[in-house]
Amino acid sequence: MNYSRQRELILKTVKENKIHPTAQDIYELVKEKSPNISLGTVYRDLNFLAEAGIIRKIDIGDKQIHFDGDISEHCHFVCLDCGKIHDIERKDYCHDENKNLIAKGFIPLRKDVIIYGQCPVCNKKEREN
Amino acid sequence: MNYSRQRELILKTVKENKIHPTAQDIYELVKEKSPNISLGTVYRDLNFLAEAGIIRKIDIGDKQIHFDGDISEHCHFVCLDCGKIHDIERKDYCHDENKNLIAKGFIPLRKDVIIYGQCPVCNKKEREN
DNA sequence: TCACAAAATAGTAATCATTACTAATTATTT
DNA sequence: AAATAATTAGTAATGATTACTATTTTGTGA
């Protein structure tokens, strides 16, 4: 009995919205279809799904946790101008093979890579001014 | 008048303590030498110093911000068992040259890399049990 | 089909790191 | 030394997240 109507809806919403939504974002989106859903339920279910590895948490240091329905290997680019979070494919960033770390006895299990900078749109705007 | 007695002491404490302390850690350390310093001052000065690029903020997703007096290029390894934050040298992780990103119009300015896993000490403990 | 037990929910209260605020203090400038 | 500007201590406020509880939902097995 793991998937209630609310939980299914929350999962669907995270998968469909590629904007890397926060819990609050999800809450507002889900409320359109399930008006009296509780914010607590949204938080609980998002954590449940992340724990199960079905969605992914992203911490970009803006005090709110973002969620990503795409759990394929990729990293994130945060634009310091507009704040948008862009997906970066594996081939677009060099991936550490961790050889040296492993040689020293570390067991790398998870790596969070977040690149901050200026996205193409904001860079274009700046060049035009 | 940028460097008050308190601010100097906070900076010195961050530089001397390699444990990647939180604001609360710093507050307790600094209180030994300056007993009636305020927690607000510690937060304000740590942010001031980070803003100035003299120290570095680290967000490892444990709800508290950690600070690092070492601003040389390195990333962090967080042990999922003991929670300790280890410094990882540049040569021990493959560094992205960002060529592909730049070709697509992104301007990478800062990259936060945090690797989570098991440190050598915790791995040894596990193998012994 | 129906009752029972386990899990999930809604709604609200509590938590806790961080920030904001203010009056008092300290440092800098002329 | 007076005027001015920055900094501080202490406290209150903020806001995302978690905890709690009574109620509802859901799956299961007789």
Side-chain angles (χ1 to χ4, degrees), chain A residues 59 61 63 65 77 86 88-89 91-94 96 100-101 104-120 123, chain B residues 59 61 63 65 77 86 88-89 91-94 96 100-101 104-120 123:
Chain A
D59 187 340
K63 309 282 167 200
I65 292 163
F77 186 102
H86 299 259
I88 304 295
E89 294 170 68
K91 71 174 171 60
D92 283 344
Y93 72 99
C94 166
D96 176 18
N100 292 328
L101 279 183
K104 293 191 176 183
F106 288 100
I107 312 291
L109 296 172
R110 183 158 56 85
K111 175 155 55 175
D112 285 0
V113 179
I114 300 172
I115 302 169
Y116 299 85
Q118 198 175 40
C119 72
N123 186 242
Chain B
D59 188 339
K63 309 282 167 201
I65 293 164
F77 185 103
H86 298 260
I88 305 296
E89 295 170 66
K91 72 175 173 59
D92 282 344
Y93 72 98
C94 167
D96 176 18
N100 292 328
L101 280 183
K104 292 191 174 180
F106 288 100
I107 312 290
L109 295 172
R110 182 159 56 86
K111 174 155 56 173
D112 285 0
V113 178
I114 300 174
I115 302 168
Y116 299 83
Q118 199 175 40
C119 71
N123 186 242

Short mmCIF file of all heavy atoms in Angstrom, two decimals, chain A residues 59 61 63 65 77 86 88-89 91-94 96 100-101 104-120 123, chain B residues 59 61 63 65 77 86 88-89 91-94 96 100-101 104-120 123:
data_model
loop_
_atom_site.label_atom_id
_atom_site.label_comp_id
_atom_site.label_asym_id
_atom_site.label_seq_id
_atom_site.Cartn_x
_atom_site.Cartn_y
_atom_site.Cartn_z
N ASP A 59 20.21 20.53 -3.78
CA ASP A 59 20.44 21.63 -2.86
C ASP A 59 21.34 22.64 -3.55
O ASP A 59 22.52 22.39 -3.75
CB ASP A 59 21.09 21.11 -1.58
CG ASP A 59 21.19 22.18 -0.51
OD1 ASP A 59 21.13 23.38 -0.86
OD2 ASP A 59 21.33 21.83 0.67
N GLY A 61 21.70 25.75 -2.40
CA GLY A 61 22.09 26.76 -1.42
C GLY A 61 21.19 27.97 -1.38
O GLY A 61 21.59 29.03 -0.92
N LYS A 63 18.30 27.94 0.29
CA LYS A 63 17.46 27.71 1.48
C LYS A 63 16.29 26.77 1.23
O LYS A 63 15.64 26.33 2.16
CB LYS A 63 16.90 29.02 2.09
CG LYS A 63 17.93 30.09 2.35
CD LYS A 63 18.70 29.81 3.61
CE LYS A 63 19.93 30.70 3.69
NZ LYS A 63 20.94 30.18 4.60
N ILE A 65 14.92 23.22 -0.79
CA ILE A 65 15.35 22.04 -1.51
C ILE A 65 14.54 21.93 -2.79
O ILE A 65 13.32 22.12 -2.79
CB ILE A 65 15.21 20.78 -0.64
CG1 ILE A 65 16.20 20.85 0.51
CG2 ILE A 65 15.44 19.53 -1.46
CD1 ILE A 65 15.91 19.90 1.63
N PHE A 77 23.42 23.38 -13.64
CA PHE A 77 24.04 24.68 -13.84
C PHE A 77 23.05 25.73 -13.34
O PHE A 77 21.93 25.80 -13.84
CB PHE A 77 24.34 24.89 -15.33
CG PHE A 77 25.11 26.15 -15.63
CD1 PHE A 77 26.47 26.09 -15.89
CD2 PHE A 77 24.48 27.39 -15.64
CE1 PHE A 77 27.19 27.25 -16.18
CE2 PHE A 77 25.20 28.55 -15.91
CZ PHE A 77 26.56 28.48 -16.18
N HIS A 86 19.67 24.67 -14.95
CA HIS A 86 19.76 23.97 -16.23
C HIS A 86 20.34 22.58 -16.03
O HIS A 86 21.25 22.39 -15.21
CB HIS A 86 20.65 24.74 -17.19
CG HIS A 86 20.15 26.12 -17.52
ND1 HIS A 86 19.50 26.41 -18.69
CD2 HIS A 86 20.19 27.27 -16.80
CE1 HIS A 86 19.18 27.70 -18.69
NE2 HIS A 86 19.58 28.24 -17.57
N ILE A 88 22.71 19.63 -17.19
CA ILE A 88 23.94 19.49 -17.97
C ILE A 88 24.19 17.99 -18.16
O ILE A 88 24.22 17.22 -17.20
CB ILE A 88 25.13 20.12 -17.22
CG1 ILE A 88 24.84 21.58 -16.89
CG2 ILE A 88 26.42 19.97 -18.03
CD1 ILE A 88 24.69 22.49 -18.08
N GLU A 89 24.35 17.62 -19.45
CA GLU A 89 24.56 16.20 -19.75
C GLU A 89 25.94 15.72 -19.31
O GLU A 89 26.87 16.51 -19.22
CB GLU A 89 24.45 15.98 -21.26
CG GLU A 89 23.08 16.21 -21.83
CD GLU A 89 23.16 16.20 -23.35
OE1 GLU A 89 23.43 15.13 -23.92
OE2 GLU A 89 22.97 17.28 -23.96
N LYS A 91 28.18 14.23 -20.95
CA LYS A 91 29.26 14.52 -21.89
C LYS A 91 29.72 15.98 -21.83
O LYS A 91 30.77 16.32 -22.36
CB LYS A 91 28.86 14.14 -23.32
CG LYS A 91 27.81 15.03 -23.97
CD LYS A 91 27.62 14.64 -25.43
CE LYS A 91 26.42 15.37 -26.05
NZ LYS A 91 26.53 16.84 -26.04
N ASP A 92 28.93 16.82 -21.20
CA ASP A 92 29.31 18.24 -21.12
C ASP A 92 30.07 18.61 -19.85
O ASP A 92 30.37 19.77 -19.62
CB ASP A 92 28.08 19.13 -21.26
CG ASP A 92 27.62 19.22 -22.71
OD1 ASP A 92 28.42 18.85 -23.59
OD2 ASP A 92 26.49 19.65 -22.95
N TYR A 93 30.30 17.65 -19.01
CA TYR A 93 31.23 17.92 -17.91
C TYR A 93 32.08 16.68 -17.69
O TYR A 93 31.61 15.56 -17.81
CB TYR A 93 30.51 18.37 -16.63
CG TYR A 93 29.75 17.28 -15.91
CD1 TYR A 93 30.31 16.64 -14.82
CD2 TYR A 93 28.49 16.91 -16.33
CE1 TYR A 93 29.60 15.64 -14.16
CE2 TYR A 93 27.79 15.92 -15.69
CZ TYR A 93 28.34 15.28 -14.61
OH TYR A 93 27.66 14.30 -13.97
N CYS A 94 33.34 16.93 -17.42
CA CYS A 94 34.29 15.83 -17.25
C CYS A 94 33.95 15.07 -15.98
O CYS A 94 33.82 15.66 -14.91
CB CYS A 94 35.69 16.41 -17.17
SG CYS A 94 36.92 15.27 -16.58
N ASP A 96 34.77 12.53 -13.06
CA ASP A 96 35.87 11.93 -12.31
C ASP A 96 35.74 10.42 -12.23
O ASP A 96 34.69 9.91 -11.89
CB ASP A 96 35.83 12.51 -10.90
CG ASP A 96 36.87 11.90 -10.00
OD1 ASP A 96 37.83 11.29 -10.51
OD2 ASP A 96 36.71 12.03 -8.79
N ASN A 100 41.98 7.94 -7.93
CA ASN A 100 42.88 8.36 -6.85
C ASN A 100 42.21 8.27 -5.49
O ASN A 100 42.83 7.87 -4.51
CB ASN A 100 43.35 9.79 -7.11
CG ASN A 100 44.26 9.87 -8.32
OD1 ASN A 100 44.99 8.92 -8.60
ND2 ASN A 100 44.20 10.98 -9.02
N LEU A 101 40.93 8.64 -5.47
CA LEU A 101 40.20 8.57 -4.21
C LEU A 101 40.13 7.14 -3.70
O LEU A 101 40.38 6.87 -2.52
CB LEU A 101 38.77 9.10 -4.40
CG LEU A 101 38.55 10.60 -4.40
CD1 LEU A 101 37.08 10.90 -4.54
CD2 LEU A 101 39.11 11.20 -3.13
N LYS A 104 43.16 5.80 -2.19
CA LYS A 104 43.42 6.29 -0.83
C LYS A 104 42.47 5.72 0.21
O LYS A 104 42.54 6.07 1.39
CB LYS A 104 43.33 7.81 -0.81
CG LYS A 104 44.45 8.47 -1.60
CD LYS A 104 44.52 9.96 -1.36
CE LYS A 104 45.73 10.53 -2.11
NZ LYS A 104 45.91 11.96 -1.87
N GLY A 105 41.55 4.86 -0.22
CA GLY A 105 40.67 4.21 0.75
C GLY A 105 39.28 4.82 0.86
O GLY A 105 38.44 4.33 1.61
N PHE A 106 39.04 5.91 0.13
CA PHE A 106 37.69 6.48 0.14
C PHE A 106 36.77 5.64 -0.75
O PHE A 106 37.21 5.10 -1.77
CB PHE A 106 37.71 7.91 -0.40
CG PHE A 106 38.34 8.91 0.53
CD1 PHE A 106 39.66 9.33 0.34
CD2 PHE A 106 37.63 9.43 1.60
CE1 PHE A 106 40.24 10.25 1.20
CE2 PHE A 106 38.21 10.35 2.46
CZ PHE A 106 39.52 10.76 2.27
N ILE A 107 35.51 5.52 -0.35
CA ILE A 107 34.53 4.83 -1.18
C ILE A 107 33.51 5.85 -1.65
O ILE A 107 32.56 6.16 -0.93
CB ILE A 107 33.81 3.71 -0.38
CG1 ILE A 107 34.80 2.82 0.38
CG2 ILE A 107 32.93 2.88 -1.32
CD1 ILE A 107 35.68 1.95 -0.47
N PRO A 108 33.68 6.40 -2.84
CA PRO A 108 32.73 7.40 -3.31
C PRO A 108 31.41 6.75 -3.71
O PRO A 108 31.40 5.79 -4.48
CB PRO A 108 33.43 8.02 -4.53
CG PRO A 108 34.71 7.27 -4.72
CD PRO A 108 34.74 6.10 -3.82
N LEU A 109 30.32 7.26 -3.17
CA LEU A 109 29.00 6.68 -3.44
C LEU A 109 28.11 7.63 -4.22
O LEU A 109 27.29 7.21 -5.01
CB LEU A 109 28.32 6.32 -2.12
CG LEU A 109 29.03 5.24 -1.29
CD1 LEU A 109 28.38 5.10 0.08
CD2 LEU A 109 29.00 3.89 -2.02
N ARG A 110 28.29 8.90 -3.97
CA ARG A 110 27.40 9.88 -4.60
C ARG A 110 28.19 11.17 -4.78
O ARG A 110 29.00 11.52 -3.93
CB ARG A 110 26.21 10.12 -3.68
CG ARG A 110 25.16 11.05 -4.20
CD ARG A 110 23.83 10.79 -3.48
NE ARG A 110 23.93 10.90 -2.03
CZ ARG A 110 23.82 12.04 -1.35
NH1 ARG A 110 23.60 13.17 -1.98
NH2 ARG A 110 23.91 12.07 -0.03
N LYS A 111 27.96 11.84 -5.89
CA LYS A 111 28.66 13.11 -6.11
C LYS A 111 27.66 14.15 -6.53
O LYS A 111 26.89 13.94 -7.46
CB LYS A 111 29.74 12.92 -7.17
CG LYS A 111 30.42 14.22 -7.54
CD LYS A 111 31.80 14.04 -8.10
CE LYS A 111 31.86 13.12 -9.27
NZ LYS A 111 33.22 13.08 -9.85
N ASP A 112 27.65 15.26 -5.83
CA ASP A 112 26.78 16.37 -6.21
C ASP A 112 27.63 17.45 -6.85
O ASP A 112 28.50 18.03 -6.21
CB ASP A 112 26.07 16.94 -4.99
CG ASP A 112 24.94 16.03 -4.54
OD1 ASP A 112 24.75 14.98 -5.18
OD2 ASP A 112 24.27 16.35 -3.55
N VAL A 113 27.39 17.68 -8.12
CA VAL A 113 28.14 18.72 -8.83
C VAL A 113 27.17 19.82 -9.22
O VAL A 113 26.18 19.57 -9.89
CB VAL A 113 28.81 18.15 -10.10
CG1 VAL A 113 29.56 19.24 -10.84
CG2 VAL A 113 29.75 17.00 -9.75
N ILE A 114 27.43 20.99 -8.76
CA ILE A 114 26.62 22.15 -9.15
C ILE A 114 27.54 23.23 -9.66
O ILE A 114 28.46 23.65 -8.98
CB ILE A 114 25.76 22.66 -7.98
CG1 ILE A 114 24.82 21.56 -7.50
CG2 ILE A 114 24.95 23.88 -8.42
CD1 ILE A 114 24.08 21.94 -6.23
N ILE A 115 27.29 23.64 -10.88
CA ILE A 115 28.08 24.71 -11.49
C ILE A 115 27.24 25.98 -11.49
O ILE A 115 26.08 25.96 -11.90
CB ILE A 115 28.49 24.33 -12.93
CG1 ILE A 115 29.28 23.02 -12.92
CG2 ILE A 115 29.29 25.46 -13.58
CD1 ILE A 115 29.50 22.42 -14.29
N TYR A 116 27.81 27.06 -11.00
CA TYR A 116 27.12 28.34 -10.97
C TYR A 116 27.76 29.27 -12.00
O TYR A 116 28.97 29.22 -12.21
CB TYR A 116 27.25 28.99 -9.59
CG TYR A 116 26.65 28.18 -8.46
CD1 TYR A 116 27.38 27.18 -7.84
CD2 TYR A 116 25.37 28.43 -8.00
CE1 TYR A 116 26.84 26.44 -6.80
CE2 TYR A 116 24.82 27.71 -6.96
CZ TYR A 116 25.56 26.70 -6.36
OH TYR A 116 25.02 25.98 -5.33
N GLY A 117 26.95 30.07 -12.62
CA GLY A 117 27.50 31.00 -13.59
C GLY A 117 26.40 31.77 -14.28
O GLY A 117 25.39 32.11 -13.68
N GLN A 118 26.60 32.05 -15.57
CA GLN A 118 25.62 32.83 -16.32
C GLN A 118 25.12 31.96 -17.46
O GLN A 118 25.92 31.37 -18.20
CB GLN A 118 26.33 34.07 -16.87
CG GLN A 118 25.38 35.19 -17.30
CD GLN A 118 26.15 36.44 -17.71
OE1 GLN A 118 27.19 36.34 -18.36
NE2 GLN A 118 25.63 37.59 -17.33
N CYS A 119 23.80 31.88 -17.61
CA CYS A 119 23.25 31.04 -18.67
C CYS A 119 23.26 31.81 -20.00
O CYS A 119 23.40 33.03 -20.01
CB CYS A 119 21.83 30.57 -18.31
SG CYS A 119 20.57 31.84 -18.38
N PRO A 120 23.14 31.10 -21.12
CA PRO A 120 23.24 31.76 -22.44
C PRO A 120 22.29 32.94 -22.59
O PRO A 120 22.65 33.97 -23.14
CB PRO A 120 22.90 30.63 -23.41
CG PRO A 120 23.32 29.39 -22.71
CD PRO A 120 23.01 29.64 -21.25
N ASN A 123 23.54 35.87 -20.56
CA ASN A 123 24.78 36.38 -21.14
C ASN A 123 24.51 37.22 -22.38
O ASN A 123 25.10 38.27 -22.59
CB ASN A 123 25.71 35.21 -21.49
CG ASN A 123 27.07 35.69 -21.96
OD1 ASN A 123 27.48 35.44 -23.08
ND2 ASN A 123 27.77 36.40 -21.08
N ASP B 59 27.99 23.99 1.64
CA ASP B 59 26.66 23.46 1.93
C ASP B 59 26.66 21.97 1.64
O ASP B 59 26.73 21.56 0.49
CB ASP B 59 25.64 24.18 1.05
CG ASP B 59 24.21 23.82 1.44
OD1 ASP B 59 24.01 22.77 2.08
OD2 ASP B 59 23.30 24.60 1.12
N GLY B 61 24.24 19.98 2.76
CA GLY B 61 22.87 19.49 2.85
C GLY B 61 22.48 18.96 4.22
O GLY B 61 21.55 18.18 4.33
N LYS B 63 21.55 21.02 6.67
CA LYS B 63 20.77 22.12 7.25
C LYS B 63 21.62 23.24 7.85
O LYS B 63 21.10 24.29 8.15
CB LYS B 63 19.78 21.63 8.33
CG LYS B 63 18.89 20.49 7.92
CD LYS B 63 17.76 20.95 7.04
CE LYS B 63 17.06 19.78 6.38
NZ LYS B 63 16.31 20.19 5.20
N ILE B 65 25.19 25.63 7.46
CA ILE B 65 26.26 26.01 6.55
C ILE B 65 27.59 25.84 7.27
O ILE B 65 27.74 26.22 8.43
CB ILE B 65 26.07 27.45 6.05
CG1 ILE B 65 24.83 27.52 5.16
CG2 ILE B 65 27.29 27.94 5.29
CD1 ILE B 65 24.30 28.90 4.91
N PHE B 77 34.80 15.77 0.53
CA PHE B 77 34.29 14.41 0.60
C PHE B 77 33.60 14.27 1.95
O PHE B 77 34.23 14.46 2.99
CB PHE B 77 35.46 13.41 0.49
CG PHE B 77 35.03 11.98 0.42
CD1 PHE B 77 35.02 11.29 -0.79
CD2 PHE B 77 34.63 11.29 1.57
CE1 PHE B 77 34.63 9.96 -0.85
CE2 PHE B 77 34.24 9.97 1.52
CZ PHE B 77 34.24 9.30 0.30
N HIS B 86 36.14 15.79 4.50
CA HIS B 86 37.55 15.69 4.14
C HIS B 86 37.86 16.60 2.97
O HIS B 86 37.04 16.74 2.06
CB HIS B 86 37.89 14.24 3.74
CG HIS B 86 37.69 13.25 4.84
ND1 HIS B 86 38.71 12.75 5.61
CD2 HIS B 86 36.55 12.67 5.32
CE1 HIS B 86 38.24 11.91 6.49
NE2 HIS B 86 36.93 11.84 6.34
N ILE B 88 39.68 17.30 -0.47
CA ILE B 88 40.20 16.52 -1.58
C ILE B 88 40.98 17.44 -2.51
O ILE B 88 40.46 18.47 -2.94
CB ILE B 88 39.03 15.86 -2.36
CG1 ILE B 88 38.15 15.01 -1.43
CG2 ILE B 88 39.55 15.03 -3.53
CD1 ILE B 88 38.85 13.82 -0.82
N GLU B 89 42.20 17.07 -2.79
CA GLU B 89 43.05 17.92 -3.63
C GLU B 89 42.60 17.89 -5.09
O GLU B 89 41.98 16.93 -5.54
CB GLU B 89 44.50 17.43 -3.59
CG GLU B 89 45.16 17.55 -2.24
CD GLU B 89 46.50 16.81 -2.26
OE1 GLU B 89 47.40 17.25 -3.00
OE2 GLU B 89 46.61 15.79 -1.56
N LYS B 91 44.29 17.30 -7.72
CA LYS B 91 44.79 16.17 -8.49
C LYS B 91 44.01 14.88 -8.19
O LYS B 91 44.13 13.91 -8.93
CB LYS B 91 46.28 15.96 -8.25
CG LYS B 91 46.66 15.40 -6.87
CD LYS B 91 48.17 15.12 -6.81
CE LYS B 91 48.62 14.74 -5.41
NZ LYS B 91 47.96 13.54 -4.83
N ASP B 92 43.23 14.88 -7.13
CA ASP B 92 42.48 13.67 -6.80
C ASP B 92 41.05 13.66 -7.34
O ASP B 92 40.29 12.74 -7.07
CB ASP B 92 42.45 13.46 -5.28
CG ASP B 92 43.77 12.88 -4.78
OD1 ASP B 92 44.54 12.38 -5.62
OD2 ASP B 92 44.03 12.95 -3.57
N TYR B 93 40.68 14.69 -8.05
CA TYR B 93 39.42 14.60 -8.78
C TYR B 93 39.59 15.28 -10.13
O TYR B 93 40.26 16.29 -10.24
CB TYR B 93 38.24 15.17 -7.99
CG TYR B 93 38.22 16.66 -7.85
CD1 TYR B 93 37.45 17.45 -8.69
CD2 TYR B 93 38.97 17.29 -6.87
CE1 TYR B 93 37.44 18.82 -8.56
CE2 TYR B 93 38.97 18.65 -6.74
CZ TYR B 93 38.21 19.41 -7.58
OH TYR B 93 38.20 20.77 -7.46
N CYS B 94 39.00 14.68 -11.11
CA CYS B 94 39.15 15.17 -12.47
C CYS B 94 38.42 16.49 -12.60
O CYS B 94 37.25 16.62 -12.28
CB CYS B 94 38.56 14.15 -13.44
SG CYS B 94 38.32 14.77 -15.09
N ASP B 96 36.82 19.48 -14.65
CA ASP B 96 36.19 19.81 -15.92
C ASP B 96 36.80 21.07 -16.52
O ASP B 96 36.92 22.09 -15.87
CB ASP B 96 34.71 20.04 -15.66
CG ASP B 96 33.98 20.48 -16.90
OD1 ASP B 96 34.50 20.31 -17.99
OD2 ASP B 96 32.88 21.00 -16.74
N ASN B 100 32.85 22.31 -23.34
CA ASN B 100 31.55 22.11 -23.97
C ASN B 100 30.51 23.10 -23.47
O ASN B 100 29.68 23.59 -24.24
CB ASN B 100 31.05 20.69 -23.71
CG ASN B 100 31.90 19.66 -24.43
OD1 ASN B 100 32.44 19.93 -25.50
ND2 ASN B 100 32.04 18.49 -23.83
N LEU B 101 30.57 23.37 -22.17
CA LEU B 101 29.64 24.34 -21.60
C LEU B 101 29.82 25.71 -22.25
O LEU B 101 28.85 26.36 -22.64
CB LEU B 101 29.88 24.47 -20.10
CG LEU B 101 29.28 23.41 -19.20
CD1 LEU B 101 29.57 23.76 -17.75
CD2 LEU B 101 27.78 23.31 -19.42
N LYS B 104 28.46 26.15 -25.61
CA LYS B 104 27.01 26.30 -25.65
C LYS B 104 26.52 27.65 -25.12
O LYS B 104 25.33 27.89 -25.04
CB LYS B 104 26.36 25.18 -24.84
CG LYS B 104 26.54 23.81 -25.48
CD LYS B 104 25.68 22.76 -24.82
CE LYS B 104 25.82 21.45 -25.62
NZ LYS B 104 25.02 20.36 -25.07
N GLY B 105 27.45 28.49 -24.70
CA GLY B 105 27.07 29.83 -24.27
C GLY B 105 26.97 30.02 -22.77
O GLY B 105 26.68 31.11 -22.29
N PHE B 106 27.20 28.94 -22.00
CA PHE B 106 27.21 29.08 -20.55
C PHE B 106 28.53 29.70 -20.10
O PHE B 106 29.59 29.42 -20.69
CB PHE B 106 27.05 27.71 -19.86
CG PHE B 106 25.68 27.12 -19.98
CD1 PHE B 106 25.41 26.14 -20.94
CD2 PHE B 106 24.66 27.53 -19.13
CE1 PHE B 106 24.13 25.60 -21.06
CE2 PHE B 106 23.39 26.98 -19.24
CZ PHE B 106 23.13 26.02 -20.20
N ILE B 107 28.48 30.53 -19.08
CA ILE B 107 29.70 31.10 -18.51
C ILE B 107 29.87 30.53 -17.10
O ILE B 107 29.28 31.04 -16.14
CB ILE B 107 29.63 32.64 -18.42
CG1 ILE B 107 29.13 33.25 -19.74
CG2 ILE B 107 30.97 33.22 -17.99
CD1 ILE B 107 30.12 33.15 -20.88
N PRO B 108 30.64 29.46 -16.95
CA PRO B 108 30.80 28.88 -15.61
C PRO B 108 31.69 29.77 -14.74
O PRO B 108 32.77 30.15 -15.16
CB PRO B 108 31.50 27.54 -15.89
CG PRO B 108 31.75 27.47 -17.34
CD PRO B 108 31.44 28.78 -17.97
N LEU B 109 31.19 30.10 -13.57
CA LEU B 109 31.95 30.99 -12.68
C LEU B 109 32.42 30.27 -11.42
O LEU B 109 33.46 30.57 -10.86
CB LEU B 109 31.08 32.19 -12.29
CG LEU B 109 30.69 33.12 -13.45
CD1 LEU B 109 29.68 34.15 -12.99
CD2 LEU B 109 31.92 33.81 -14.02
N ARG B 110 31.61 29.34 -10.97
CA ARG B 110 31.93 28.69 -9.71
C ARG B 110 31.38 27.27 -9.77
O ARG B 110 30.32 27.05 -10.37
CB ARG B 110 31.26 29.46 -8.57
CG ARG B 110 31.52 28.94 -7.19
CD ARG B 110 31.26 30.04 -6.15
NE ARG B 110 29.93 30.61 -6.22
CZ ARG B 110 28.85 30.09 -5.62
NH1 ARG B 110 28.95 28.98 -4.92
NH2 ARG B 110 27.68 30.68 -5.70
N LYS B 111 32.10 26.34 -9.22
CA LYS B 111 31.61 24.97 -9.23
C LYS B 111 31.73 24.38 -7.84
O LYS B 111 32.78 24.43 -7.22
CB LYS B 111 32.41 24.13 -10.22
CG LYS B 111 32.04 22.66 -10.18
CD LYS B 111 32.34 21.94 -11.46
CE LYS B 111 33.76 22.06 -11.91
NZ LYS B 111 34.06 21.21 -13.07
N ASP B 112 30.65 23.87 -7.32
CA ASP B 112 30.67 23.21 -6.02
C ASP B 112 30.60 21.72 -6.23
O ASP B 112 29.60 21.20 -6.75
CB ASP B 112 29.50 23.67 -5.15
CG ASP B 112 29.73 25.07 -4.60
OD1 ASP B 112 30.79 25.64 -4.90
OD2 ASP B 112 28.85 25.58 -3.89
N VAL B 113 31.64 21.03 -5.87
CA VAL B 113 31.67 19.58 -6.01
C VAL B 113 31.73 18.97 -4.62
O VAL B 113 32.64 19.27 -3.84
CB VAL B 113 32.90 19.13 -6.82
CG1 VAL B 113 32.94 17.61 -6.92
CG2 VAL B 113 32.89 19.76 -8.20
N ILE B 114 30.77 18.17 -4.29
CA ILE B 114 30.79 17.46 -3.02
C ILE B 114 30.59 15.98 -3.29
O ILE B 114 29.61 15.58 -3.93
CB ILE B 114 29.71 17.98 -2.06
CG1 ILE B 114 29.93 19.47 -1.78
CG2 ILE B 114 29.74 17.20 -0.76
CD1 ILE B 114 28.83 20.10 -0.96
N ILE B 115 31.52 15.19 -2.85
CA ILE B 115 31.44 13.75 -3.02
C ILE B 115 31.05 13.14 -1.68
O ILE B 115 31.63 13.47 -0.65
CB ILE B 115 32.80 13.19 -3.50
CG1 ILE B 115 33.21 13.86 -4.81
CG2 ILE B 115 32.73 11.67 -3.65
CD1 ILE B 115 34.64 13.59 -5.21
N TYR B 116 30.04 12.30 -1.71
CA TYR B 116 29.60 11.62 -0.49
C TYR B 116 29.99 10.15 -0.57
O TYR B 116 29.95 9.55 -1.65
CB TYR B 116 28.09 11.73 -0.33
CG TYR B 116 27.56 13.13 -0.22
CD1 TYR B 116 27.31 13.90 -1.35
CD2 TYR B 116 27.29 13.70 1.02
CE1 TYR B 116 26.82 15.20 -1.26
CE2 TYR B 116 26.80 14.99 1.13
CZ TYR B 116 26.56 15.73 -0.01
OH TYR B 116 26.07 17.00 0.09
N GLY B 117 30.33 9.56 0.54
CA GLY B 117 30.68 8.15 0.54
C GLY B 117 31.18 7.71 1.90
O GLY B 117 30.68 8.20 2.91
N GLN B 118 32.13 6.82 1.90
CA GLN B 118 32.66 6.29 3.15
C GLN B 118 34.15 6.63 3.23
O GLN B 118 34.87 6.38 2.26
CB GLN B 118 32.46 4.77 3.15
CG GLN B 118 32.53 4.13 4.51
CD GLN B 118 32.21 2.65 4.44
OE1 GLN B 118 32.61 1.95 3.52
NE2 GLN B 118 31.47 2.15 5.42
N CYS B 119 34.57 7.20 4.35
CA CYS B 119 35.98 7.58 4.48
C CYS B 119 36.81 6.35 4.86
O CYS B 119 36.27 5.34 5.31
CB CYS B 119 36.15 8.71 5.49
SG CYS B 119 35.87 8.25 7.20
N PRO B 120 38.13 6.41 4.68
CA PRO B 120 38.97 5.24 4.94
C PRO B 120 38.79 4.66 6.35
O PRO B 120 38.76 3.44 6.52
CB PRO B 120 40.39 5.80 4.75
CG PRO B 120 40.23 6.91 3.78
CD PRO B 120 38.89 7.53 4.11
N ASN B 123 35.48 2.82 6.57
CA ASN B 123 35.54 1.63 5.72
C ASN B 123 36.32 0.52 6.41
O ASN B 123 35.95 -0.65 6.38
CB ASN B 123 36.17 1.97 4.38
CG ASN B 123 36.11 0.79 3.41
OD1 ASN B 123 37.13 0.28 2.97
ND2 ASN B 123 34.90 0.32 3.11
#
